Amino acid sequence: MTEAQMGLVTAGAVPTDVAEIVILDVGHGNCAILRDGDRCAVVDARSGTLLLSELQRMGIKRIEHVVLSHADEDHIQGALQLLPHQSFTIGQVWANSDSAKDSELWDELLVLVDYLDGCGRLRANIGISTSQRDSLSFGRVGISVLHPTLYEIGHGPGRAKGARPRLTTNGLSVVLRVSIEGEPVVLLPGDIDAAGLRRMLSRQADATAHTLVYPHHGGGNGGASHARFVQDLAQATRPEMVVFSMGRDRFRNPIPGVVAQFGVSFPEVRIACTQLSSHCHSGALPSADRDYLGNRSAAGLAEGKCCAGTLTLTVVDGGIYVHPEPESHSAWIKGNVQAPMCSVIPVFPVQRTRGGSF
């Protein structure tokens, strides 16, 4: 089967009749496109034109949902450019109220969605919880909301009273489990922290997925040890690949202890960072070609900061295909990176089936 048949492209335009999940390299931040043909959902949006250009290159006309996991700048700022854009018809915007981080940016976003909702350009929903369950699904893309509950977002972030546990803005991050044609492909947990994760796991939510986008870009988790947090999250997700959506320059992510814990407790998990961590390679960036990246848009391309870059996951005949192709990516790391934290993590074959994964 060729890469074009699998929906993985190395040159030219992106096929229009494909169901896929694209985890964009946006630097320090998060952004994912959940696509079925010329329709999609967007989860989080960092600032910049990368998301817009990739959507246009994919031939997207209709955005069914824009989901903003929580109110941090690196998850919402790009929505200010996306929502009023004339190239797309947008169905619904989903976000949770956040008085704890009542920033000017959050206020600006609320003013915009209020205006666009008022003039009929989209439907704004201030409130997304497990009550939506699978109502965000469309076409071949299934989207399940695992966290938070109506009870939790009703109280919102802030100081707890009585028996109610305290949840921060990060702890109330929306957690989505995304499937294609019934195959659970990716868990998108925003910046969920240890307290939020405990609440989610107490409900015995099915979080299993081929790929986990690690919370908070591989940074802190709000109080638990790295070992405990990795153990709890990975045991619930049972991923074959863990993605750190992170930038090279702003923060020194992912934390080495987080990556090391995967090596100790889950040694068969593949680690993929969108950009090359300064923990792995200091000083000048490798000048070697990154042919394995293909032609997906990526924030790190221009300055040679990509490691895995933008990742694409496609389901074909029950198998999950990953691009960049794991063996080519691993070969580049081994030949060019000084001290890769993922060096102890073996590379899986390109295709993994549900029967062999979960």
Side-chain angles (χ1 to χ4, degrees):
M1 184 176 290
T2 66
E3 283 196 330
Q5 289 171 323
M6 292 187 293
L8 309 179
V9 180
T10 55
V14 178
T16 56
D17 186 23
V18 65
E20 64 183 2
I21 296 169
V22 180
I23 302 166
L24 282 173
D25 166 20
V26 291
H28 181 81
N30 281 92
C31 186
I33 302 170
L34 321 176
R35 174 193 178 200
D36 185 0
D38 62 359
R39 304 161 64 201
C40 80
V42 172
V43 181
D44 287 338
R46 191 184 185 276
S47 61
T49 61
L50 182 75
L51 172 60
L52 300 177
S53 63
E54 185 66 10
L55 289 170
Q56 290 172 325
R57 197 173 68 87
M58 295 165 108
I60 296 295
K61 305 297 183 184
R62 169 79 177 178
I63 302 175
E64 300 292 341
H65 306 285
V66 176
V67 181
L68 303 174
S69 64
H70 63 300
D72 282 358
E73 174 185 339
D74 55 324
H75 294 254
I76 67 171
Q77 190 168 24
L80 294 171
Q81 299 162 295
L82 174 65
L83 298 182
H85 204 282
Q86 297 294 325
S87 297
F88 314 109
T89 300
I90 297 176
Q92 302 191 71
V93 177
W94 301 84
N96 287 334
S97 178
D98 191 355
S99 59
K101 286 190 177 178
D102 194 15
S103 64
E104 291 184 9
L105 179 63
W106 179 241
D107 185 69
E108 187 178 353
L109 177 65
L110 292 178
V111 169
L112 176 63
V113 297
D114 186 44
Y115 168 76
L116 294 174
D117 181 274
C119 64
R121 288 277 302 277
L122 51 78
R123 180 181 174 187
N125 302 276
I126 304 302
I128 177 171
S129 70
T130 53
S131 65
Q132 274 72 47
R133 296 181 180 85
D134 300 312
S135 61
L136 278 66
S137 302
F138 63 96
R140 292 171 285 180
V141 178
I143 306 173
S144 299
V145 184
L146 304 187
H147 182 75
T149 63
L150 271 174
Y151 175 83
E152 289 159 350
I153 65 168
H155 281 291
R159 188 175 302 279
K161 292 182 179 180
R164 180 171 65 87
R166 180 182 185 273
L167 289 178
T168 65
T169 297
N170 284 350
L172 287 170
S173 285
V174 176
V175 178
L176 302 179
R177 181 180 187 244
V178 186
S179 61
I180 295 178
E181 296 181 342
E183 286 292 327
V185 178
V186 67
L187 189 77
L188 301 173
D191 282 352
I192 195 169
D193 61 14
L197 180 63
R198 285 194 298 271
R199 294 290 297 168
M200 187 184 85
L201 297 182
S202 72
R203 298 189 291 270
Q204 299 182 326
D206 184 359
T208 54
H210 174 280
T211 294
L212 165 66
V213 178
Y214 197 86
H216 210 213
H217 325 289
N221 61 59
S225 70
H226 299 314
R228 175 64 184 272
F229 190 75
V230 168
Q231 286 278 346
D232 290 348
L233 183 57
Q235 285 177 358
T237 312
R238 286 183 279 165
E240 296 188 7
M241 180 168 71
V242 175
V243 174
F244 294 97
S245 179
M246 40 75 68
R248 175 174 170 81
D249 300 323
R250 185 175 177 184
F251 297 101
R252 286 173 59 80
N253 288 334
I255 294 172
V258 170
V259 180
Q261 189 59 45
F262 279 104
V264 170
S265 302
F266 303 92
E268 291 190 337
V269 172
R270 177 193 172 201
I271 301 293
C273 296
T274 53
Q275 293 194 9
L276 182 59
S277 173
S278 58
H279 291 297
C280 299
H281 194 97
S282 60
L285 288 156
S287 59
D289 290 336
R290 291 170 170 81
D291 294 339
Y292 63 90
L293 291 174
N295 73 334
R296 286 290 191 190
S297 304
L301 274 176
E303 298 180 42
K305 296 178 182 179
C306 288
C307 191
T310 290
L311 293 110
T312 304
L313 299 104
T314 309
V315 175
V316 178
D317 298 329
I320 298 175
Y321 294 83
V322 179
H323 189 268
E325 188 274 320
E327 275 120 0
S328 298
H329 179 212
S330 179
W332 181 85
I333 291 172
K334 291 176 181 177
N336 297 282
V337 178
Q338 293 166 349
M341 291 188 288
C342 62
S343 61
V344 297
I345 309 295
V347 174
F348 275 148
V350 175
Q351 182 179 9
R352 300 287 288 178
T353 63
R354 184 181 176 91
S357 305
F358 299 101

